[in-house]
Amino acid sequence: MTYSIIAVIILGILLFGIVYSIYCKTYEYLFVSIYTLLPDYFSFEINEHLPLFSVSRIMLLILLCYTLLRPQTRKALCNYRTFFVPFSLPSKLVIGYVVMRIISNLYYVTTYNSSVKSILSVLFEEGMMLLLLGVQFSTYEKIERAIRSIITVSGFVFALAIYESISRFNVGSLFYLAQRHLLDEYYIRLGLLRADLTFGLPSFFATYCVVMVPLILYLYEKNYEKRYLLILTLDVFAVIHTGSRAQLLFLGFMVILMFLFQKKESKLHYVKVYGQLIAISLCIVILLSAVSSHLRYFYIGTGKSLLNEVGFHFDLDEDAPTGVAGFGDNQKGTSSRLWQLSGITYTLNKNPLFGLGAKAQNRGDVHYLYKPGKWVPAYTYDVAYVGIICDGGLTGLAAFCMLYLAAFLFLFKNTNKLSKALLFALLSYLLCLLSIGTMDHFNWLLFSLIYANQWIAADTKNLPNHTTARS
């Protein structure tokens, strides 16, 4: 069994970081900042018939040991008040999510291994992360530090993504340890590589970038540190270099939505600061376009492709530089998603309650209506909501409705700025699910932060002298 030398070196650096962070008692911040960045193919393979032992799962197990070995967090994890203080309707909805997910997968548990894996993932990955991070981030100061860690690392990620796109070097390939083929696509669009780093697909990485925006704005508006404006600028350029039109439109929509929900006295500052940011970004685009015909074609073509999504009809191959084969594949991005909605009809006709089983697309069990009367097998979900129904049926859909309803109820209970930022981050994620498959690791990291935020609020509200049950 041979592994990439560079991947082994990266693993060694990560191992050093883990040991050092445990020594400094800051492992929880390292975990939240890089957990979603670790790809599935950054994994050890014992046997082709056994699940991959991914580095992300190893880090989660380390987080469990780290929590149990520290007296304060071990006591909090075993303290009944940790779980019963916030045991309200949203908490019951989360439990309902777990139950419904298990029920939807039990139907196929003797037929597909993927259903067994899905049940184990719900119980031992999703549930474990929720509890462990809830215990670790027991104060607003800790959860804010966690968000700062995530955003600081994301700044380097955005810069690396822009380099990946321009250099056309697939950075994610450096992390490949698995011996089997896993999702790590390579797409050229408008002459540049669509940035995806370790996310496997450009649209996944673009979603990560979009969801980070409300959190970056939260940190900037808290202390007005200029570095967060730099990170925000890098974020926007990273989204552009993913070539993901839907996420760019969603980003614009969310920025407008956040502006509308600003307090009246803050709107002028919002317009002034972010107007300057837009002006600076445009100057950078103009400068880069003047220096390179390839970059000019990329930025102008990206703008045209966005306008085409709202009804224009620009020729995206026009003015392509020598050596560039035009726009590339999937010029009609919206229509390619719309026809996947037919998969819901196909699933409801086959098994409305339990769907087609976990990972049905990998088996080609999902069919989309390509043209009247012609159903064709499909092997991808580009709309997460289609995937939820196709895999789990109405039972699976009910589970996810419970989960996200719980998240909204948690956030609406609090009126602080952190809850507002997390609300916009959640809305950004749910909006992006219209053009991507589900991102389980990212979904549960975001939900764990929301749940931890609610636990803190519940503790301080219900306990004397504003002490916390997890202190």
Side-chain angles (χ1 to χ4, degrees), residues 341-357:
L341 296 176
S342 61
I344 296 175
T345 303
Y346 180 84
T347 301
L348 295 180
N349 287 331
K350 289 289 184 180
N351 189 338
L353 276 181
F354 304 107
L356 305 173

Side-chain angles (χ1 to χ4, degrees), residues 418-431:
L418 176 58
S419 296
K420 187 177 179 181
L422 290 170
L423 174 61
F424 283 124
L426 178 62
L427 287 173
S428 300
Y429 176 68
L430 294 178
L431 199 58

Side-chain angles (χ1 to χ4, degrees), residues 432-447:
C432 288
L433 290 184
L434 290 169
S435 68
I436 62 167
T438 53
M439 297 172 62
D440 293 334
H441 287 180
F442 191 60
N443 176 73
W444 278 93
L445 176 61
L446 179 59
F447 192 82

Side-chain angles (χ1 to χ4, degrees), residues 183-189 192-196 200-202 242 329:
L183 185 64
D184 182 29
E185 301 297 335
Y186 183 98
Y187 296 105
I188 297 293
R189 176 165 290 175
L192 298 185
L193 175 65
R194 296 183 64 190
D196 66 359
L201 285 172
T242 64
D329 295 333

Side-chain angles (χ1 to χ4, degrees), residues 27-313:
Y27 176 73
E28 62 269 39
Y29 303 110
L30 174 68
F31 177 85
V32 295
S33 60
I34 68 171
Y35 178 74
T36 59
L37 304 176
L38 299 175
D40 289 339
Y41 50 81
F42 194 39
S43 308
F44 299 101
E45 187 167 356
I46 300 172
N47 185 290
E48 63 179 2
H49 301 293
L50 296 175
L52 291 170
F53 200 43
S54 66
V55 175
S56 60
R57 285 175 178 159
I58 294 172
M59 289 195 68
L60 186 58
L61 289 174
I62 293 173
L63 181 64
L64 173 63
C65 297
Y66 176 77
T67 303
L68 292 175
L69 291 175
R70 297 177 69 191
Q72 183 177 350
T73 51
R74 181 176 66 247
K75 181 181 177 182
L77 193 62
C78 299
N79 190 336
Y80 76 95
R81 289 192 301 175
T82 298
F83 310 106
F84 285 96
V85 165
F87 197 71
S88 56
L89 174 60
S91 298
K92 293 174 183 177
L93 287 172
V94 174
I95 295 172
Y97 161 81
V98 173
V99 172
M100 296 297 277
R101 281 293 307 277
I102 291 174
I103 290 173
S104 69
N105 281 285
L106 278 176
Y107 184 85
Y108 289 102
V109 77
T110 58
T111 307
Y112 303 125
N113 289 334
S114 56
S115 294
V116 178
K117 293 177 183 177
S118 183
I119 292 174
L120 294 176
S121 177
V122 170
L123 292 174
F124 298 109
E125 289 189 69
E126 298 173 359
M128 187 187 299
M129 184 187 296
L130 188 68
L131 297 178
L132 294 180
L133 293 185
V135 166
Q136 291 292 343
F137 304 135
S138 56
T139 65
Y140 285 120
E141 290 76 15
K142 290 180 179 179
I143 196 171
E144 186 174 306
R145 184 178 176 184
I147 293 174
R148 283 202 306 271
S149 300
I150 293 169
I151 297 306
T152 300
V153 170
S154 73
F156 293 100
V157 169
F158 300 148
L160 187 60
I162 296 168
Y163 166 78
E164 177 185 58
S165 175
I166 296 174
S167 67
R168 296 174 61 166
F169 176 74
N170 186 7
V171 174
S173 62
L174 300 177
F175 289 77
Y176 223 104
L177 281 175
Q179 301 299 297
R180 67 183 76 168
H181 175 71
L182 294 167
L183 185 64
D184 182 29
E185 301 297 335
Y186 183 98
Y187 296 105
I188 297 293
R189 176 165 290 175
L190 294 165
L192 298 185
L193 175 65
R194 296 183 64 190
D196 66 359
L197 291 182
T198 56
F199 285 79
L201 285 172
S203 54
F204 284 167
F205 176 59
T207 298
Y208 168 84
C209 296
V210 172
V211 175
M212 290 297 109
V213 170
L215 302 180
I216 297 170
L217 292 178
Y218 164 74
L219 292 177
Y220 171 71
E221 291 171 0
K222 191 172 182 66
N223 299 308
Y224 295 106
E225 296 181 42
K226 299 295 184 184
R227 62 180 175 134
Y228 293 119
L229 291 181
L230 174 60
I231 293 174
L232 182 60
T233 304
L234 290 172
D235 188 344
V236 173
F237 273 90
V239 179
I240 293 171
H241 279 269
T242 64
S244 298
R245 290 157 289 179
Q247 275 69 15
L248 278 167
L249 293 172
F250 295 152
L251 175 59
F253 175 80
M254 288 307 302
V255 168
I256 294 171
L257 189 64
M258 286 186 285
F259 169 75
L260 293 176
F261 279 87
Q262 287 284 325
K263 292 181 179 179
K264 188 175 180 180
E265 58 272 19
S266 302
K267 285 186 177 180
L268 182 60
H269 175 76
Y270 190 98
V271 171
K272 181 180 177 181
V273 172
Y274 304 117
Q276 291 175 349
L277 199 62
I278 292 171
I280 292 171
S281 299
L282 287 174
C283 288
I284 293 173
V285 168
I286 293 170
L287 179 62
L288 292 174
S289 298
V291 171
S292 169
S293 60
H294 285 75
L295 289 174
R296 179 170 63 253
Y297 173 65
F298 175 79
Y299 290 127
I300 293 175
T302 298
K304 288 180 178 179
S305 68
L306 290 176
L307 292 174
N308 283 359
E309 290 297 313
V310 294
F312 289 82
H313 302 282

